[in-house]
Amino acid sequence: MFGLTDCNNFYVSCERLFNPSLNGKPVVVLSNNDGCVISRSNEAKALGVKMGEPIFKMKEIVKREGIACFSANFSLYGDISARVMDKLRSFSPGIEIYSIDEAFLDFTGVPEKDIFQTGPEIVRRIKKDVGVPVSLGVSHTKTLAKVATRLSKKYPATKGFCLMEKPEDIAKVLSKFPVEDIWGVGRAYSKMLKSHGIETATDFTKKSPEWIKSRMGVPGVKSWRELRGEACIRLEDRTLDKKQICTSRSFAKDLYDFEDICKAVATFAAASAEKLRHQKGACREVLIFILTNPFKDNAKQHYQSAAVNLETHSDSTFTIAGAACNALRDIFREGYGYKKAGVILSEISRKSDLTLSLFEDSSKADKESSLMSVMDEINMRYGRHSLYTAAAGVEKIKSNQNMLSKRYTTSWDDIIEVKV
Ligand SMILES: [Mg+2]
């Protein structure tokens, strides 16, 4: 059996954790640069606020209904997510972190009566110990577990836990489950399926596997088999190291000046390098990209990326940011207003697996590595950007985050004060 836990309205729930006055009120969290809605409380959903709705279109309803709006606070969400995942690990050794707020659990060989006990206990403990509400669905396959989680969210009577075990129950649920909500069936496929009269998961499972394969390939057949109760998507260990690390952002306003973009690229490179060191890796390739604002009509457009191969594997902010800024020099063009840039590190290996190259000076590598640990430690203790490379500039890159809550759990300055 497989379980899927999904935090309810995760970003909003994180905001509420440190601000209980938001409970019962409509709350939304906005994407980078306060663009559009990426998380909604049930109250906001009930008011008809849609996922992805741009905030500038919502001015009136925000005012009229008193919707609380927050800029995305990923330091907070990331930390709460790590706590949820830690808690889950204490219940099941087999876990696959699927996204910031979702994880699959392995219940192989666990008897049904035990799942009936553990399931609600997981939901209760995460709410009590971490403070955010979660839903848990359990069934024979990952795809069916996803369906079960949906049910546990939809029906409050389940108290956040739903076990779909008996074939007759599953059949009943699937006969009402919309085809577009099946895990792995995207928007394009659901359109195609509907054009053939396939509206529900049951309709989908009634097609022949050949029919599905000819239109949706092997992944489609996997979904088909999984819905019929045959587990064929295994639990992946995503806690493994990342193969690529990317940091990219849009700017609050278009940037025309090389120096400004260089500062941004150096900052993103530093952030990527920090993530790289966190997983004890070193990369061989640094890729950067810059692009203009595609939504600005009449403006000249430019998109370009460049990859740099480093001489040896590196985890040093200096090396990586240096390579990124050099690459920027090659692709930057005067006269264009750039809206976004990013730095992607790839060809990542574990540092412990690497042998020192013949030409590398080991004492220099050692020095740089201790410098990096000091830098990480200081930034950890006193907040990001306490120490940075000069290339990243003294002024921080501005992004629009006018409604940002505090980093309650990751910065000493922001720790909550209790007056007694
Ligand atoms: Mg969720």
Side-chain angles (χ1 to χ4, degrees):
M1 298 289 264
F2 293 92
L4 174 75
T5 51
D6 185 355
C7 300
N8 305 346
N9 315 330
F10 182 56
Y11 301 158
V12 165
S13 299
C14 291
E15 296 294 345
R16 280 178 167 168
L17 185 54
F18 291 92
N19 192 346
S21 71
L22 298 169
N23 288 334
K25 292 194 182 138
V27 183
V28 297
V29 172
L30 306 172
S31 60
N32 268 332
N33 285 320
D34 296 342
C36 37
V37 173
I38 53 170
S39 180
R40 307 160 294 163
S41 71
N42 290 344
E43 297 77 8
K45 288 177 192 171
L47 288 172
V49 175
K50 296 269 173 303
M51 204 62 172
E53 200 158 319
I55 188 72
F56 72 86
K57 283 193 181 162
M58 294 171 42
K59 277 193 181 128
E60 202 201 323
I61 187 170
V62 165
K63 208 170 156 197
R64 191 178 68 231
E65 305 288 346
I67 301 176
C69 302
F70 288 90
S71 307
N73 182 348
F74 288 109
S75 324
L76 176 66
Y77 311 153
D79 186 57
I80 301 298
S81 167
R83 294 176 190 206
V84 170
M85 301 308 170
D86 274 349
K87 199 91 255 170
L88 287 175
R89 263 186 216 106
S90 68
F91 282 99
S92 157
I95 113 165
E96 175 194 337
I97 299 174
Y98 185 66
S99 71
I100 191 166
D101 73 329
E102 282 176 273
F104 286 104
L105 302 173
D106 190 359
F107 286 117
T108 309
V110 182
E112 190 189 329
K113 65 169 185 11
D114 291 355
I115 296 177
F116 258 121
Q117 250 178 4
T118 320
E121 176 69 2
I122 292 176
V123 172
R124 202 183 61 80
R125 284 288 295 280
I126 292 180
K127 177 76 185 117
K128 184 169 174 282
D129 297 352
V130 184
V132 292
V134 297
S135 303
L136 168 61
V138 181
S139 195
H140 303 285
T141 69
K142 284 167 91 176
T143 309
L144 287 172
K146 273 255 183 193
V147 175
T149 307
R150 267 294 166 104
L151 291 192
S152 63
K153 271 197 184 171
K154 196 165 165 197
Y155 300 106
T158 62
K159 293 196 176 134
F161 171 70
C162 171
L163 173 63
M164 286 197 332
E165 214 270 321
K166 295 186 185 69
E168 59 270 27
D169 293 343
I170 296 173
K172 214 162 134 192
V173 172
L174 295 188
S175 70
K176 294 196 192 107
F177 199 77
V179 73
E180 66 267 27
D181 290 346
I182 299 172
W183 187 39
V185 175
R187 203 179 293 171
Y189 280 134
S190 65
K191 221 171 150 191
M192 180 277 290
L193 292 167
K194 282 183 174 180
S195 75
H196 287 91
I198 299 167
E199 296 285 339
T200 66
T202 301
D203 298 339
F204 182 78
T205 55
K206 282 194 174 146
K207 282 284 165 191
S208 75
E210 293 76 29
W211 191 93
I212 303 281
K213 193 177 175 189
S214 68
R215 287 163 178 86
M216 300 173 66
V218 175
V221 180
K222 276 194 178 168
S223 302
W224 181 86
R225 283 164 60 192
E226 284 243 319
L227 283 174
R228 295 166 65 104
E230 184 192 339
C232 47
I233 306 175
R234 289 150 54 112
L235 214 66
E236 277 173 50
D237 191 357
R238 286 183 191 242
T239 49
L240 284 177
D241 302 338
K242 288 203 175 108
K243 298 272 178 281
Q244 271 198 341
I245 293 174
C246 172
T247 308
S248 72
R249 276 203 242 317
S250 316
F251 312 127
K253 58 174 198 272
D254 297 351
L255 299 181
Y256 290 85
D257 192 38
F258 176 79
E259 291 299 317
D260 289 340
I261 301 170
C262 193
K263 278 181 203 166
V265 165
T267 307
F268 301 159
S272 288
E274 197 184 312
K275 290 180 208 163
L276 181 66
R277 291 193 292 274
H278 191 72
Q279 70 172 45
K280 301 197 168 29
C283 73
R284 190 72 196 263
E285 190 180 80
V286 180
L287 188 126
I288 73 156
F289 65 86
I290 46 173
L291 63 145
T292 48
N293 189 347
F295 299 109
K296 219 175 193 178
D297 297 335
N298 312 326
K300 291 194 289 179
Q301 300 290 335
H302 181 222
Y303 166 85
Q304 201 163 342
S305 61
V308 189
N309 272 307
L310 303 176
E311 242 167 71
T312 52
H313 276 85
S314 174
D315 68 346
S316 152
T317 292
F318 298 121
T319 309
I320 291 168
C325 290
N326 274 337
L328 177 67
R329 237 175 276 279
D330 294 336
I331 59 175
F332 171 82
R333 286 201 211 151
E334 283 294 342
Y336 288 85
Y338 290 98
K339 180 67 186 168
K340 189 174 183 174
V343 175
I344 302 166
L345 308 182
S346 58
E347 290 189 37
I348 295 172
S349 302
R350 286 221 136 209
K351 264 182 107 173
S352 53
D353 296 341
L354 294 171
T355 44
L356 212 58
S357 119
L358 270 178
F359 304 102
E360 201 177 351
D361 176 353
S362 70
S363 69
K364 185 178 165 240
D366 283 346
K367 262 188 207 153
E368 209 158 275
S369 141
S370 25
L371 182 60
M372 287 300 126
S373 355
V374 171
M375 187 154 133
D376 289 343
E377 210 171 291
I378 290 178
N379 285 337
M380 180 86 159
R381 196 177 306 168
Y382 299 104
R384 270 222 168 116
H385 309 303
S386 297
L387 263 192
Y388 43 78
T389 61
V394 180
E395 277 171 84
K396 285 186 200 162
I397 316 159
K398 279 204 193 84
S399 64
N400 287 329
Q401 288 188 306
N402 297 322
M403 295 158 278
L404 191 61
S405 54
K406 292 185 170 184
R407 293 163 301 166
Y408 301 105
T409 59
T410 52
S411 161
W412 286 116
D413 289 340
D414 289 355
I415 208 155
I416 206 154
E417 277 177 42
V418 181
K419 292 200 177 100
V420 281

